[in-house]
């Protein structure tokens, strides 16, 4: 909610960000879906997912939902300004590629232009040294799409994400133990409910801005316990204070009861992660790249996904009747 002091008829919005955090009543997850509007493309996502699950179920395949990227939280109903959570989306895209096949259609640390050369006549060519792997990666990606092994529903805002997550989860959960959730998106913990937001663009001429935001309900709880109780569920925990990381990952497993948390630190997330499993909650399995591997462009997801796929296979064999 944007705190507004009414000076006569006009809204006074305070422009200096104020941060305070205190315990407040958190909405229960189901009420969130009643009090907020679904995204316009929800039906489309639902239909595509239904079709995808049907085809893959018939093919007897395992299916994983990889969530990735940040979620925006609007400050105005007609949104000009929003707050975002940090995530470049790299974890999710590299992981999805690994899940499909241990190959990549983009190389780490390379941007689109790094792949290209321009000759003296002004014609653009793919660099010879990268051509082979690029061709292979494009093929892998295209094959996955045409083979119904990949769909990529997108979201921008927190609300888009939560509605899509719930819809996809209901459908994916029908695969039982063969379904896996890999929840790497950086989802906002705070938001302003639609009915408490100002309608139009906040005016800087109204002075300093104070923000009061509600806590987002903890959706992992219904996801694990009600929406997909038989699935294999991995959540992520990101911290900047190392002392908090493992205790918070364990707390999450104790609270929600899913299979594992992948813990990572903001500045080292590409070099080291820890897998903490519910079954071995006291220990943390470290996956760390050596300097040599980093230099060679190896990605940590190569090892992380391999390990999680092995844990998922074990879960399937223990939980299939
Ligand atoms: O997207 P990215 O590669 O820049 O970062 C990945 C990450 C740090 C967002 C992810 O590994 C993660 O920890 N996600 C959960 C974030 C959280 O605790 O809210």
């Amino acid at each position: 909610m944007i705190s507004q002091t009414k000076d006569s008829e006009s809204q006074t919005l305070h422009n200096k960000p104020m941060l305070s955090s205190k315990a407040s009543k958190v909405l229960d997850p189901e009420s969130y879906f009643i009090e907020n509007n679904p995204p316009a493309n929800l039906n489309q996502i639902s239909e595509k997912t239904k079709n995808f699950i049907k085809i893959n179920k018939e093919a007897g395949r395992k299916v994983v939902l990889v969530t990735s990227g940040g979620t925006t939280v609007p400050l105005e109903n007609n949104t000009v300004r929003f707050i975002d959570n940090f995530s470049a989306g790299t974890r999710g895209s590299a992981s999805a590629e690994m899940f499909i096949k241990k190959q990549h259609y983009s190389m780490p640390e390379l941007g689109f232009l790094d792949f290209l050369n321009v000759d003296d006549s002004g014609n653009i060519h793919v660099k010879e040294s990268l051509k082979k792997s690029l061709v292979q990666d494009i093929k892998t990606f295209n094959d996955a799409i045409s083979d119904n092994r990949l769909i990529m529903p997108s979201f921008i805002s927190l609300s888009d994400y939560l509605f899509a997550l719930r819809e996809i989860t209901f459908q994916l959960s029908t695969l039982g133990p063969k379904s896996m959730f890999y929840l790497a998106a950086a989802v906002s913990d705070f938001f302003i409910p639609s009915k408490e937001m100002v309608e139009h663009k906040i005016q800087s001429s109204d002075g300093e801005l104070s923000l009061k935001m509600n806590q987002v309900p903890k959706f992992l709880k219904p996801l694990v316990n009600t929406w997909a109780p038989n699935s294999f569920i991995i959540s992520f925990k990101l911290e900047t204070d190392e002392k908090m990381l493992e205790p918070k990952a364990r707390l999450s497993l104790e609270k929600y009861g899913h299979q594992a948390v992948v813990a990572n630190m903001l500045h080292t997330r590409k070099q080291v992660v820890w897998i903490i499993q519910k079954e071995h909650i006291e220990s943390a399995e470290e996956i760390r790249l050596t300097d040599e591997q980093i230099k060679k462009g190896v990605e940590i997801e190569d090892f992380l996904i391999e390990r999680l796929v092995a844990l998922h296979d074990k879960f399937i064999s223990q939980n299939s009747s």
Side-chain angles (χ1 to χ4, degrees):
M1 188 179 82
I2 296 175
S3 124
Q4 302 173 9
T5 317
K6 284 212 167 160
D7 281 354
S8 64
E9 287 301 297
S10 71
Q11 301 168 339
T12 304
L13 299 156
H14 293 282
N15 219 356
K16 196 194 274 173
M18 284 191 353
L19 267 180
S20 75
S21 191
K22 59 177 182 180
S24 62
K25 196 171 170 295
V26 185
L27 208 63
D28 75 274
E30 288 309 323
S31 308
Y32 179 93
F33 296 109
I34 297 166
E35 293 185 15
N36 292 278
N37 293 326
N41 65 347
L42 189 65
N43 281 344
Q44 206 185 334
I45 290 177
S46 177
E47 283 310 309
K48 270 192 157 180
T49 308
K50 205 175 282 171
N51 188 39
F52 181 80
I53 299 286
K54 184 173 175 284
I55 291 169
N56 284 287
K57 201 174 194 171
E58 282 167 9
R61 293 179 185 145
K62 299 179 280 183
V63 176
V64 56
L65 171 68
V66 176
T67 71
S68 172
T71 56
T72 65
V73 170
L75 302 187
E76 302 124 337
N77 273 320
N78 288 287
T79 308
V80 174
R81 298 185 177 88
F82 56 83
I83 296 177
D84 206 351
N85 265 46
F86 172 82
S87 168
T90 318
R91 173 84 73 222
S93 58
S95 302
E97 291 161 25
M98 270 303 293
F99 275 116
I100 294 168
K101 204 173 174 195
K102 289 171 193 165
Q103 267 170 354
H104 302 261
Y105 58 88
S106 63
M107 291 187 60
E109 309 306 333
L110 290 185
F112 170 64
L113 294 177
D114 295 315
F115 284 88
L116 305 175
N117 267 336
V118 180
D119 66 19
D120 294 342
S121 321
N123 296 318
I124 296 172
H125 304 275
V126 173
K127 285 179 188 165
E128 213 45 56
S129 59
L130 298 172
K131 213 177 234 173
K132 201 169 158 209
S133 72
L134 190 62
V135 166
Q136 185 53 54
D137 294 342
I138 291 171
K139 194 172 165 336
T140 302
F141 176 73
N142 287 342
D143 285 353
I145 297 274
S146 59
D147 234 16
N148 282 304
R149 285 186 296 118
L150 176 68
I151 48 170
M152 297 187 290
S154 62
F155 62 87
I156 295 173
S157 69
L158 172 73
S159 179
D160 298 345
Y161 173 81
L162 292 174
F163 274 96
L165 175 69
R166 185 176 68 154
E167 184 59 32
I168 293 169
T169 300
F170 285 151
Q171 299 192 28
L172 181 53
S173 67
T174 61
L175 289 179
K178 279 192 174 172
S179 56
M180 173 172 173
F181 291 78
Y182 180 90
L183 305 172
V187 183
S188 177
D189 286 319
F190 305 100
F191 79 118
I192 303 172
S194 179
K195 61 176 191 261
E196 293 178 25
M197 253 188 284
V198 289
E199 202 52 30
H200 295 292
K201 185 186 166 202
I202 298 165
Q203 297 298 318
S204 63
S205 55
D206 286 333
E208 65 178 15
L209 176 70
S210 302
L211 289 180
K212 181 172 176 284
M213 304 181 85
N214 289 16
Q215 260 184 288
V216 174
K218 300 292 182 196
F219 286 92
L220 197 49
K221 193 174 178 184
L223 194 150
V224 173
N225 295 299
T226 319
W227 302 347
N230 301 315
S231 303
F232 185 69
I233 299 169
I234 309 294
S235 71
F236 276 71
K237 178 62 73 188
L238 174 69
E239 290 295 340
T240 55
D241 177 353
E242 201 160 343
K243 290 191 297 298
M244 309 276 278
L245 188 62
E246 287 195 19
K248 290 205 62 186
R250 293 197 173 91
L251 190 66
S252 172
L253 288 173
E254 280 159 7
K255 258 188 176 163
Y256 308 119
H258 52 304
Q259 281 65 44
V261 172
V262 177
N264 57 172
M265 297 291 296
L266 180 64
H267 299 296
T268 57
R269 66 191 190 284
K270 294 184 179 177
Q271 283 103 56
V272 57
V273 297
W274 294 268
I275 302 174
I276 304 183
Q277 295 180 57
K278 182 178 65 178
E279 279 188 7
H280 310 285
I281 199 158
E282 288 311 320
S283 57
E285 183 180 340
E286 182 177 284
I287 298 180
R288 182 183 290 272
L289 293 183
T290 62
D291 291 345
E292 196 58 26
Q293 287 171 320
I294 293 166
K295 255 189 244 148
K296 281 187 184 155
V298 176
E299 287 176 308
I300 196 158
E301 287 77 12
D302 294 5
F303 303 101
L304 175 60
I305 302 310
E306 196 162 301
R307 182 68 183 125
L308 293 177
V309 166
L311 291 175
H312 185 203
D313 286 342
K314 189 172 152 207
F315 178 83
I316 294 171
S317 63
Q318 287 171 344
N319 291 282
S320 300
S321 42

